[in-house]
Amino acid sequence: MTTNHDDGDDGASTDGDDDQTQADGETPTDDDPAVRTPGGGTAPEPEPIEPAAPEEFGLVQAWWGDGKGKTTAAMGMGFRAAGHGYRVHMLQFMKGGADSVEGVRGEYNAIAAVPGFSYENAGHYGWHGLLDGSADDEHEVKATAAFERAEALAAGAAEADLTSPLPLDGDPESGVHVLILDELLYAVDRGLVDPDDVVELAASKPENLELVLTGSHAEPEYLDGVADLITNVRKVAHPFDDGQRARRGTEY
């Protein structure tokens, strides 16, 4: 009796484990639709980041609107691309700091920790057109220099083979798969960069370079028919409207 009872316990335990395993999706059966997914129904695991080349890059993206999340979305795509081993670079316009933002920004620390993702900041202190102690002519000088830098980065990508892996620690001027020009559309909106120059940059970029443009509360109509993806990040509510200042870890 004792032997039969023990056998029964073992069998019940094993059956229960099998049921739990299938419920967790660890060993799906052939009739489970999850088996037909690229991962075969198993949860993906992180892998070491090794240099790789994208197969279908080359579009122009534009993210604009009065809502929060334009830069966040662009950087999110940058992190995703870098995670696949693609070379990513972000050049920021108009973000030189303000009295509501500390000297350190979390995104820079995170970018520095990810192979293949680099950044540079070409902004001037404060914001153009605001009485924050910054000089508007200096904003224009910085924006002009930043756009010239963007052209140089695009030219470097044109010289590179973007269908092949690129060194993850390589100079961005030697080629990148993804170029994020953060707040460029805002610089255009403020009259610091000519919209025709942005259209020319987008139209003449290397075929396989993914170009991501962000910024501006005003619709960049000049990008109609130029950008492949245009997303309006619309504000429904924003804590800034109630006097909330920028928060460490969410805005910077």
Side-chain angles (χ1 to χ4, degrees):
M1 292 294 291
T2 302
T3 301
N4 290 339
H5 178 72
D6 288 342
D7 288 342
D9 283 349
D10 289 343
S13 176
T14 300
D15 291 341
D17 288 345
D18 288 345
D19 291 343
Q20 185 62 44
T21 297
Q22 291 183 9
D24 290 342
E26 295 178 2
T27 56
T29 60
D30 290 341
D31 58 353
D32 188 337
V35 175
R36 297 191 291 274
T37 66
T42 59
E45 295 290 338
E47 300 176 352
I49 297 176
E50 301 291 346
E55 297 179 357
E56 299 181 291
F57 275 16
L59 302 184
V60 176
Q61 302 187 29
W63 295 74
W64 72 281
D66 63 354
K68 170 180 167 58
K70 299 178 287 294
T71 296
T72 303
M75 285 193 298
M77 286 187 292
F79 280 113
R80 177 177 290 157
H84 284 291
Y86 308 152
R87 186 68 177 88
V88 181
H89 187 70
M90 178 174 70
L91 170 63
Q92 290 191 311
F93 292 67
M94 310 295 296
K95 283 185 174 175
D99 63 359
S100 61
V101 177
E102 297 176 24
V104 63
R105 294 186 186 170
E107 61 262 39
Y108 298 163
N109 295 336
I111 288 172
V114 176
F117 201 165
S118 57
Y119 76 92
E120 56 191 293
N121 185 303
H124 180 57
Y125 175 84
W127 287 94
H128 181 269
L130 297 182
L131 299 178
D132 54 13
S134 62
D136 285 355
D137 57 345
E138 288 298 321
H139 282 291
E140 184 174 1
V141 169
K142 288 283 189 178
T144 298
F147 190 77
E148 291 174 352
R149 174 62 173 165
E151 292 177 315
L153 291 167
E159 295 295 324
D161 180 5
L162 302 186
T163 64
S164 298
L166 297 173
L168 299 181
D169 59 352
D171 189 320
E173 288 187 2
S174 298
V176 295
H177 297 115
V178 182
L179 178 58
I180 301 170
L181 301 181
D182 184 41
E183 304 292 6
L184 171 58
L185 304 184
Y186 182 76
V188 173
D189 186 40
R190 300 302 304 173
L192 305 178
V193 175
D194 191 322
D196 290 340
D197 291 339
V198 177
V199 171
E200 174 60 24
L201 177 67
S204 63
K205 73 168 187 63
E207 179 181 1
N208 296 300
L209 174 65
E210 192 82 5
L211 183 63
V212 183
L213 315 174
T214 79
S216 181
H217 288 188
E219 182 175 1
E221 296 180 350
Y222 52 91
L223 291 177
D224 289 348
V226 177
D228 302 281
L229 180 152
I230 300 178
T231 296
N232 178 2
V233 181
R234 185 173 64 89
K235 180 183 73 171
V236 175
H238 200 303
F240 284 5
D241 295 338
D242 294 327
Q244 173 70 55
R245 291 170 68 84
R247 294 177 296 156
R248 184 185 181 103
T250 59
E251 280 74 45
Y252 65 93

